Amino acid sequence: MRMPVGELFNPRSIALVGATDKSGWSISTLTNLRTHGFRGPVHLVNPRGGVVHGEQAHRSLSGIPGQVDLAYVMVPTTAVLSVLREGAKLGIRHYVILTAGFGETGPEGAALEVEVVDFARENDLTVLGPNGNGFINAAADVTPYGLPIPSPLLRGPVGVVLQSGALASSVLGFAQARNVGISLLTSMGNESLVTVTDVIDYLVDDPATKAIALFLESVRDPAAFSRAARRALLAGKPIVALKIGRSRLASRTAQAHTGALVGDDNVIDAAFRQLGVVRVRSLEDLIITAGLLAEVGPLPGPRIGVVTPSGGASEIIADRAEDEGLELPAFAPETVARLREIVPAFGTVQNPLDVTGYVLIDRTLLGRALEAVTADPGVDAVMLLSDLPRVAPPDPAPVYATYSASAKRMAEAPMPVVVVSNVLTDVTEFGRDVQRQAGFPYVAGGIEHGMHAIGAAVRWGRAYRAAVSAGGAAPGRAAVNAPAIEAAIEAGTGVWTEHRAAALLASAGIPVVPGELVHDEESAVAAAVGFGYPVVLKAAAEGLGHKSDIGGVRLGLSGARDVERAYREVVAAAAAVPGAGRVGALVQPQRGGGVELLVGVVRDPAWGLTLAVGLGGIWVEALRDTALRVLPVDAAEVRWALGELRGAALLRGARGAEPADLDAVAEVVARVAALAESLGEGLESLEINPLLVRGSHVEALDALVAWRDRPGR
């Protein structure tokens, strides 16, 4: 359930409960409120009364005259609930609980937290924390935050939400060092009531926020997070996330190859990509990327024109562009001709463009070159390598004039211009003043982080345009055979091996290689004759998963004696498996050529059913070349996933091979995903390995379905 937090973040009066001269938290919180613009009354509450922080304190909330909108609670753990009880009677609806010692400490603390949560819900209270530092609503000058806020507090378009209180001040300090202004910074604490998702929803609706930066230790409610992220994407507000805690998830179903390929961090990657959430790997990238996206929004495409005053930097940029999937196309002939009139004769006109160190002599050189490149019809955006000045010269007027002229050119350019500095250094007070007075745009810190931010802006732009084009609708689902699905759900236990799984696939309109289940040699030979040689023979028994691992598969059988011998061998191999029921064999016609894919769906404990598609057959574990998607997906999303594979060239017809009909493949895979969804909560995994693709011919050659353990089954 979404918790509205607008009033929490915008109080008109605040009470600091537990204020004391002995607490650095208390001193910092009052100092922040007094020095960073809060215009409402701040009341101090201490049970002994007297003078605290040089001001008269009240003995309790009841002693405060007038209404209190927000109680900032710093009392001992066991006293927190009594503060909420008193406040609720007085009509105080909103609380920040700085106090630690709750669920993060163990069972006893968790029990206390449950009491707090239950009381808050019963009395319709909004609670941020416990075990958090509070928040900084810079846009509204409301700063009930328990750690020192470095000056100046820069107000700007980036909302920051952190699941780590210890990192909050470092993130704030770095944002200010790089001249990234914040709208809101929130330290979430234990998220007992107010969650990250609640704050995202607030920031999506907040006119002061243009981009959202998240530090996440966990995604506690994937469904709610997905809903909020889709809202942000459709609203044109990028979410940039640093999600920590990478680890591989042990598969619940060892029967399926797919389980070994899907780890929880891989699923989060896939989910974020589908939701348009930009994932980064460092705190520096978190702030720099969010700052850039707040400034430039979605970049229209990956073709980047680069203007620099350094040949070495040009080479670094070229390398990083390739890493980020960005293109540096050759300049158009008319651009080259224009640049040759601008760049010194000893320079080389190409992309990236090095206008040379002559910029120290001709201060207009970089700006004129920029103007030429922004007119090039073959680029989508331009990157300008430029540092803000650090030290004021004796006469700073020419510096202000140069940056003002560049800012004017960028504002009038027909395409976005992204400014990146050479290295990651703090913006000085002089540089900050030049940027402000000249109207110079945001400068991403350092080539490394700047190129990553540009790549992120391109990728987010693609996701944003796709979401707007789709109108925000979730991917459609392929139709399935309802009676067959209902029967499968009713009978769904254990592991369904190939012959049973194949029938289920066929009922959903998924093409499956024909096969005949037999229980004696004579029937096996008759089936082989019916299909025509060569044939394949596979062991068949309930609960039998990887047949090849036990020697239960024979390929290329070309006569009756081969079939009889193969039947005896695979049946003996299956019979030796503990717990095997009635053993038989599955006879199928031999298939060859084409490309073999793996198509699997497994249930992630947090995000639910997850699709993996990649190179299959013997290459599954060897190459681990898969693309993941959280369901639901449609054929268009599957087509996009196929293009992400390292082996995508095989599907396009490498070395003269017949290219695959990718639309046909995507349609079949989308049907597999729809079938998995329709099987309900009882499904653990569904896998086809391999799915043979040969031109427009798509056919499942082997399949397996595993069901979750359910009471009474």
Side-chain angles (χ1 to χ4, degrees), residues 95-108:
Y95 299 81
V96 171
I97 302 179
L98 177 116
T99 309
F102 288 91
E104 77 280 5
T105 62
E108 187 175 340

Side-chain angles (χ1 to χ4, degrees), residues 201-399:
D201 275 323
Y202 170 82
L203 293 172
V204 170
D205 296 329
D206 177 30
T209 301
K210 294 183 179 179
I212 301 167
L214 307 178
F215 176 86
L216 300 174
E217 293 172 341
S218 64
V219 179
R220 302 188 182 196
D221 186 342
F225 181 88
S226 298
R227 176 189 51 74
R230 289 192 186 97
R231 282 192 70 229
L233 183 62
L234 286 170
K237 294 195 176 183
I239 294 178
V240 183
L242 172 57
K243 168 65 178 69
I244 62 169
R246 292 184 237 170
S247 64
R248 290 207 59 79
L249 173 69
S251 170
R252 291 186 179 184
T253 170
Q255 299 287 353
H257 288 287
T258 313
L261 301 173
V262 178
D264 61 348
D265 197 65
N266 294 333
V267 175
I268 288 169
D269 260 346
F272 280 11
R273 191 162 49 247
Q274 288 171 258
L275 295 169
V277 175
V278 175
R279 191 173 185 187
V280 295
R281 303 293 183 183
S282 70
L283 291 170
E284 293 85 354
D285 279 330
L286 178 66
I287 296 304
I288 291 169
T289 302
L292 179 68
L293 282 164
E295 173 79 16
V296 305
L299 291 181
R303 303 174 302 169
I304 309 298
V306 179
V307 180
T308 84
S310 166
S314 296
E315 294 172 359
I316 297 172
I317 292 167
D319 288 345
R320 287 293 288 116
E322 185 170 312
D323 297 339
E324 295 294 335
L326 301 172
E327 303 170 21
L328 304 182
F331 291 135
E334 56 269 30
T335 305
V336 172
R338 187 175 176 187
L339 287 171
R340 282 181 175 152
E341 297 175 356
I342 298 171
V343 176
F346 51 84
T348 302
V349 175
Q350 62 184 23
N351 189 19
L353 175 66
D354 170 19
V355 299
T356 77
Y358 203 72
V359 292
L360 297 176
I361 299 172
D362 181 358
R363 292 185 178 275
T364 71
L365 176 57
L366 199 64
R368 289 186 292 127
L370 175 66
E371 189 173 6
V373 174
T374 56
D376 191 293
V379 298
D380 300 308
V382 174
M383 170 186 167
L384 173 66
L385 193 69
S386 177
D387 285 283
L388 289 168
R390 297 185 58 79
V391 180
D395 179 12
V399 176

